[in-house]
Amino acid sequence: HVSDMRAVWAAGGLIWAFLPCLLSICHDGLSAYSMAPASRASAAGLSLKTAKGAMLARGRHNMLRLRGGEDDSEAKEEEGGDEPAAPTTMIERLKANQSTNPSDHTSMLEWGIAVLLSIYAAIGAPFSCYIPIIRDLAVRKPIEKPLTEAEKQRMEREALRKEQDEEFAQTMMEDKLKEADRRKKKEAAAAAENAAKREAEAKNNAVATFTARIAELKAKQEKEPAAGNGVVMLRFRCPDGTQLTRKFKTADPISVLYDYVDVARHDKAQNTADPSIHLAELAVFDYQLVSTMPKLILSDRATTLKDAGITTSCALVVQPIVSD
């Protein structure tokens, strides 16, 4: 019984869906055959006049083409200048006009069908997918409501406010980026300045420590011994090309050699045009004494010259120690 009821409802829906189409066809047929004789005659006269005018225009056009003077652009303009034809059938009018106002339709029947189609579309247009004509008629066009002057002004104000907000946000973002860039540059400059200050302080401290150490070495440094047994002449070659020469006892520790090199180079730096630069370099200069003949590295400063193998005069190289 449930399936029978569904079939009945489906059949009823199909019949109801076809009803507007049938009424439209009947109305168009009756309208065509119920035209008054005078109207038909006038329509026929108009059609005859139209046909005659078309024939005369075509004849003039052919004559012009035979003369070879003008082309068919004028005829094309005359043929293409016609406005699109108005809907003639009820179905076309219902597709173009979906209003439910009686004054917008040519007949009460057309208005009634328009109302039924509006109701049919409002309930979801059932079964319209199976009938193309009903589907086209049931499609509702969006109603475009004209904007009032107040609404237009409001939309213009909103668009202007939105544009101003976007410009303000863009300006704020650019200002933030500029401020961040200035802050970054300022911090980098401050960091560089602090690093330079720390480096200068470190150099000054190193120079002060080096100068104090040289003063202590000068205070306890012994005089150069005279030539004789147990005395050797040593020549020191410095990295800047300077050569230092002095006699030492073979019983002296290796540290005496380092002390002599430091004092001699310090005294030489004091006699330059800018002593602070050379003293700063000497304060951080690390080196070792190397004998070329024989090949010896005098790194143990507590060992005596004799124990280190320096028993005759020789040359020593002041070799810088390069840190990894």
Side-chain angles (χ1 to χ4, degrees):
H1 295 288
V2 175
S3 59
D4 293 341
M5 290 299 295
R6 290 179 178 175
V8 170
W9 277 103
L14 288 174
I15 293 171
W16 186 82
F18 272 111
L19 182 60
C21 183
L22 295 175
L23 291 176
S24 174
I25 295 172
C26 293
H27 180 269
D28 292 339
L30 291 175
S31 301
Y33 285 103
S34 62
M35 182 181 298
S39 300
R40 289 199 299 270
S42 61
L46 290 173
S47 300
L48 182 58
K49 290 180 180 179
T50 305
K52 288 181 179 180
M55 291 178 64
L56 290 174
R58 190 177 298 108
R60 287 195 301 270
H61 172 65
N62 292 333
M63 289 295 292
L64 290 173
R65 293 189 62 183
L66 289 173
R67 292 176 184 176
E70 292 81 11
D71 54 9
D72 57 348
S73 60
E74 184 179 356
K76 289 182 179 179
E77 291 177 0
E78 292 178 358
E79 293 176 2
D82 297 338
E83 296 181 356
T88 56
T89 63
M90 182 182 292
I91 293 179
E92 293 177 354
R93 289 195 298 271
L94 289 173
K95 287 182 180 180
N97 184 15
Q98 297 180 350
S99 174
T100 56
N101 189 352
S103 61
D104 295 338
H105 297 276
T106 58
S107 64
M108 295 300 295
L109 176 62
E110 182 178 327
W111 169 71
I113 296 176
V115 173
L116 292 176
L117 285 174
S118 178
I119 298 173
Y120 181 63
I123 64 175
F127 307 104
S128 62
C129 59
Y130 302 104
I131 308 170
I133 297 177
I134 300 299
R135 182 180 64 241
D136 297 340
L137 291 174
V139 175
R140 299 287 94 182
K141 297 179 182 178
I143 300 176
E144 297 181 0
K145 183 181 177 182
L147 298 176
T148 62
E149 191 65 25
E151 290 176 341
K152 291 180 181 179
Q153 295 178 359
R154 178 179 57 80
M155 292 179 65
E156 291 178 357
R157 289 194 300 270
E158 291 179 354
L160 180 61
R161 187 182 300 109
K162 183 179 179 181
E163 183 179 357
Q164 292 175 348
D165 292 342
E166 291 178 354
E167 292 179 355
F168 179 74
Q170 182 68 20
T171 304
M172 292 294 295
M173 180 61 67
E174 292 177 357
D175 292 342
K176 288 182 180 179
L177 292 176
K178 291 179 180 178
E179 182 63 26
D181 187 49
R182 285 195 297 267
R183 184 169 58 253
K184 185 177 180 181
K185 290 181 179 179
K186 186 176 180 180
E187 291 176 354
E193 184 178 359
N194 293 332
K197 288 181 178 179
R198 289 193 298 268
E199 184 178 359
E201 291 177 358
K203 287 183 178 180
N204 292 334
N205 294 334
V207 170
T209 303
F210 179 70
T211 303
R213 177 172 171 273
I214 294 300
E216 294 178 359
L217 293 177
K218 285 183 176 182
K220 67 178 182 179
Q221 190 176 39
E222 297 179 357
K223 294 183 180 181
E224 182 178 2
N229 293 329
V231 177
V232 294
M233 177 70 72
L234 300 180
R235 178 180 290 107
F236 302 90
R237 291 199 292 267
C238 300
D240 57 357
T242 304
Q243 292 190 3
L244 307 174
T245 304
R246 189 179 186 276
K247 294 185 287 294
F248 296 91
K249 298 177 182 179
T250 57
D252 291 338
I254 298 296
S255 60
V256 174
L257 305 183
Y258 283 91
D259 296 342
Y260 166 74
V261 171
D262 291 340
V263 171
R265 298 193 70 191
H266 173 271
D267 293 342
K268 183 181 178 181
Q270 290 286 6
N271 297 325
T272 58
D274 192 355
S276 60
I277 297 177
H278 298 281
L279 290 177
E281 293 176 356
L282 293 176
V284 295
F285 181 73
D286 192 11
Y287 65 95
Q288 61 185 1
L289 297 176
V290 178
S291 172
T292 55
M293 292 296 292
K295 181 69 174 178
L296 296 173
I297 298 177
L298 306 178
S299 57
D300 188 0
R301 300 189 181 191
T303 305
T304 61
L305 297 178
K306 183 178 180 180
D307 294 339
I310 306 298
T311 57
T312 59
S313 299
C314 64
L316 299 177
V317 178
V318 180
Q319 187 179 73
I321 297 176
V322 180
S323 59
D324 296 335

